[in-house]
């Protein structure tokens, strides 16, 4: 199973690069999700990460399609409020993109329009979605069955819950606070990695 580590939205460039460097060889993808960063801050982080991986194959830019395109980062993740697939296909055909979805109908539509993966959630209760009822494992199963592209589960996923996600047929898990907010991101990433084997 894939591990997608997502930044907290509260990182400085230095803290992000430090954490990303520590987990780079452990996880499959690292999402830069820093909505308050300037283009210059993105550029600084990308240049620092290129010292680890020149082609930035594991880096995913969240929402900022312009930043990804300008800096030749191939992978983009589109929140539901972001650039639409039709616009991606027309203006940024060289970029590979995944999309956040919240229903079967939305999942089918985004696959048809060219998304390479779907991120579905939130699956379990999470502090980042207070008061909102989680969509749960049964809905995750239904989304997985409805599409042929990979589905990545997100929301309240601890290492111990990874096996439940696997049994639903999802191809991966997306982790935000469980890794980037952990006091030792490398240790946390290794714990998730260990559970992806079972």
């Amino acid at each position: 199973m894939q591990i997608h580590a997502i930044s907290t939205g509260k990182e400085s460039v230095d803290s992000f690069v430090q954490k990303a460097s520590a987990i780079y060889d452990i996880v499959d993808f690292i999402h830069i999700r820093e909505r308050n960063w300037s283009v210059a801050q993105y550029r600084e982080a990308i240049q620092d990460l290129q010292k680890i991986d020149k082609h930035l194959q594991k880096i995913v830019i969240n929402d900022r399609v312009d930043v990804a395109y300008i800096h030749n980062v191939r992978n983009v993740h589109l929140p539901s409020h972001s650039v639409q697939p039709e616009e991606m296909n027309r203006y940024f055909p060289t970029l590979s993109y995944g999309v956040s979805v919240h229903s079967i109908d939305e999942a089918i539509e985004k696959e048809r329009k060219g998304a390479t993966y779907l991120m579905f959630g939130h699956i379990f209760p999470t502090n980042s979605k207070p008061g909102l009822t989680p969509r749960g494992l049964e809905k995750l199963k239904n989304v997985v069955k409805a599409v042929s592209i990979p589905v990545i589960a997100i929301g309240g996923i601890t290492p111990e819950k990874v096996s439940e996600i696997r049994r639903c047929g999802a191809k991966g898990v997306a982790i935000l606070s469980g890794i980037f907010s952990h006091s030792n991101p490398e240790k946390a990433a290794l714990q998730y990695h260990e559970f992806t084997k079972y």
Side-chain angles (χ1 to χ4, degrees):
M1 287 189 77
Q2 294 178 352
I3 301 174
H4 291 241
I6 303 176
S7 70
T8 62
K10 301 175 182 178
E11 304 289 342
S12 67
V13 172
D14 286 346
S15 70
F16 172 79
V17 171
Q18 181 180 9
K19 294 173 184 180
S21 300
I23 65 173
Y24 204 88
D25 292 333
I26 303 168
V27 303
D28 297 280
F29 293 98
I30 299 173
H31 294 238
I32 308 180
R33 184 177 173 269
E34 297 300 319
R35 294 169 180 164
N36 295 321
W37 277 11
S38 65
V39 172
Q41 287 173 300
Y42 272 99
R43 181 183 302 115
E44 182 182 352
I46 288 166
Q47 289 174 344
D48 284 345
L49 290 172
Q50 283 177 321
K51 297 171 185 176
I52 304 170
D53 175 9
K54 181 179 178 181
H55 300 292
L56 300 173
Q57 296 181 39
K58 293 188 176 185
I59 299 301
V60 182
I61 303 291
N62 186 288
D63 196 18
R64 294 298 304 271
V65 179
D66 57 334
V67 170
Y69 186 77
I70 291 168
H71 295 94
N72 200 31
V73 179
R74 185 170 182 271
N75 300 311
V76 176
H77 183 81
L78 304 178
S80 55
H81 63 264
S82 188
V83 177
Q84 295 303 300
E86 297 91 333
E87 297 165 319
M88 288 295 299
N89 299 334
R90 180 177 180 182
Y91 297 110
F92 305 101
T94 60
L95 299 183
S96 175
Y97 64 93
V99 184
S100 293
V101 297
H102 306 95
S103 69
I104 290 178
D105 289 344
E106 196 178 1
I108 292 170
E109 177 193 5
K110 299 305 184 185
E111 177 185 32
R112 181 175 59 81
K113 291 183 175 179
T116 56
Y117 72 89
L118 304 171
M119 192 172 286
F120 179 76
H122 60 294
I123 305 302
F124 301 109
T126 172
N127 291 334
S128 64
K129 303 284 185 182
L132 293 179
T133 303
R135 291 183 169 84
L137 295 171
E138 197 61 36
K139 288 185 179 179
L140 173 62
K141 287 180 189 177
N142 292 337
V143 168
V144 169
K145 290 177 182 176
V147 298
S148 58
I149 57 177
V151 176
I152 310 301
I154 188 171
I157 301 170
T158 61
E160 296 77 16
K161 291 177 178 174
V162 170
S163 59
E164 296 178 60
I165 300 297
R166 178 198 289 278
R167 286 194 290 271
C168 291
K171 297 299 183 183
V173 292
I175 312 300
L176 198 155
S177 59
I179 293 179
F180 267 90
S181 292
H182 196 279
S183 58
N184 187 332
E186 181 179 9
K187 180 180 178 181
L190 285 169
Q191 289 175 334
Y192 279 99
H193 180 72
E194 192 63 29
F195 277 92
T196 62
K197 300 175 183 178
Y198 307 111

